[in-house]
Amino acid sequence: MNLDFTVVPRMTDLLLWGVMWTVILSVLSMVFSLVLGAVFAVVRLSSYRLLRWPVQAISWVFMGTPLLLQLYVVYFGLAELGLNLNAFTAGVIALSLHFAVYNADIIRAGIQSIDTGQYQAARSLGVSHLQAMRKVVVPQALANVTPALGNMMIALLKESALVSAIGVMELTLSAQRAISQTFRPFEFYLAAAALYYALNLVLQQALRLIERRAALTR
Amino acid sequence: MQDTKREPLIRIRNLRKSFGPLEVLKGIDMEVREGQILALIGPSGSGKSTLLRTINQLEDVTSGEIWFDGTLVNADLPHRAREKHLNALRRNIGMVFQHFNLFPHMTALENVTMAPVLLGLHTKAQARENALRLLAKVGLSDRADYYPSRLSGGQKQRVAIARALAMEPKVMLFDEVTSALDPELVGEVNRTMKQLAEENMTMVIVTHELKFAADTASHIVFMADGRIVEEGPPDQVLRNPLQARTRAFLQQDFAE
């Protein structure tokens, strides 16, 4: 077997394009999955059954089925129902929901670990349940669960490769394109893997900074 | 001086509260008049903290009535209406807790400004100015930008007092606010409370410190086993108690 990595630089533009879309796809999905996760967590802990049950159902579905199938259903399935999403949007929706339900469980545990005195102190000042959660309880819960959520974000970045299956030209699909032009699978799969690894190194550094900031203010 | 004909600020009628089979408040009748400094004393488990916490409904009650400023606090309302009703009432009822419960992710200043800004009472700038004035009042001007983790227990409790005062409440509830403090830090918190008392703030103070109660309170309520045993001016209740139960408690306490 002779590996020849000199073919890789010839496809730099294609790979960088892929990196760019992987970053955009992942960052958007991270933001949505965290915001949705926090909302789901608060709803799961609320006393409104009418809100709690749909969220509970969403968690079961998105935790109990493979992400790949979720992508197919959101992209191809909804199209059959007349909802034509472009592949990128479908990818963001599926990734966001899939990770939101995991984030929700982590955040819920974080919220339950906050001393009830915090909530009571906020309510004793006359602020509403939602204000007390949003300003007092959830921020502290998030600070406590930052490491766990960080791990989910790293997983999300890697799992975003599955979105190639519905034709989004992200890093994995652009590597496959490069392979179909050069017939060099090993080189380009390794190059793509190295690029994912590099992206995650950057992400880990960012998470470390966030964790340190969260720890500083207490 | 007090106008005794006016309706008391807080009026509690035949209040009962059970935790499961355990009845912790067994029919309490109590009044707090405007400007009164009422100290609730009694042995641990007598129900005094629970009683205090029913006033702003951090504890709900089993039966009876709590009136605050002409409004029935524990009115039987649907959930959403009750929440609105309580939010409005709680703005006027400040509370200070045994374990401070400062928000650790906010500076001292942010702790004080949060509620007035959230509730639209002040703009950010007004709230900040007001908070700085209150922090100065409790002697913590130089700690405005400190996070709670860098404050001593006494400083934390004074920030908590400033936080409650920022809502300009009509009454302040103090729930054993010096019990979690190192002995040498108790004085600074007591001084802050005395200062408030001198400004005619209406205060209900649950405390184990009989000397502080004697010095500061205008009215003492002694509770035991979920009932009010005896009440009256400090000189009477603490120096010449009528009830044997009160005498036993005072002797025990002074013997410690």
Side-chain angles (χ1 to χ4, degrees), chain A residues 47-48 115 117-129 131 134-136 139-140 216-218, chain B residues 53 56 58 79-80 83 87 90-91 93 97 101-106 114-115 118-119 147 149 163 167:
Chain A
S47 52
Y48 296 109
D115 178 33
Q118 289 289 309
Y119 177 77
Q120 292 184 347
R123 293 306 303 275
S124 78
L125 293 163
V127 308
S128 71
H129 168 77
Q131 287 171 325
R134 191 165 54 85
K135 287 288 182 180
V136 174
Q140 293 185 61
L216 261 187
T217 59
R218 29 193 47 225
Chain B
R53 292 161 60 88
N56 66 353
L58 288 186
H79 180 72
R80 291 188 76 137
E83 288 281 295
N87 290 342
R90 284 170 177 160
R91 291 183 187 199
I93 305 176
F97 300 84
N101 299 355
L102 284 187
F103 308 133
H105 58 306
M106 299 181 191
M114 185 197 79
L118 271 185
L119 297 172
Y147 283 96
S149 59
R163 176 175 70 179
M167 296 300 297

Side-chain angles (χ1 to χ4, degrees), chain B residues 11-67:
Chain B
R11 177 198 288 263
I12 292 170
R13 284 282 167 264
N14 197 23
L15 196 69
R16 289 173 186 275
K17 160 88 181 167
S18 301
F19 290 111
L22 182 72
E23 192 171 42
V24 290
L25 298 177
K26 300 170 181 170
I28 301 283
D29 290 287
M30 191 174 92
E31 288 182 352
V32 184
R33 302 198 161 273
E34 224 163 285
Q36 200 169 44
I37 316 298
L38 187 150
L40 266 172
I41 61 169
S44 300
S46 59
K48 53 194 192 303
S49 268
T50 307
L51 174 60
L52 189 77
R53 292 161 60 88
T54 61
I55 296 174
N56 66 353
Q57 291 284 282
L58 288 186
E59 296 284 356
D60 54 10
V61 299
T62 309
S63 68
E65 291 178 353
I66 303 157
W67 292 85

Side-chain angles (χ1 to χ4, degrees), chain A residues 97-175:
Chain A
L97 282 169
H98 183 84
F99 281 91
V101 300
Y102 285 100
N103 292 344
D105 256 14
I106 293 169
I107 294 169
R108 188 164 59 110
I111 288 174
Q112 283 169 328
S113 74
I114 301 297
D115 178 33
T116 52
Q118 289 289 309
Y119 177 77
Q120 292 184 347
R123 293 306 303 275
S124 78
L125 293 163
V127 308
S128 71
H129 168 77
L130 278 181
Q131 287 171 325
M133 293 304 281
R134 191 165 54 85
K135 287 288 182 180
V136 174
V137 178
V138 173
Q140 293 185 61
L142 284 180
N144 288 349
V145 298
T146 306
L149 289 176
N151 289 344
M152 295 311 295
M153 298 304 100
I154 287 168
L156 189 154
L157 182 78
K158 292 182 295 181
E159 298 298 311
S160 73
L162 283 174
V163 180
S164 62
I166 57 171
V168 175
M169 193 49 123
E170 42 65 80
L171 181 50
T172 301
L173 191 55
S174 59

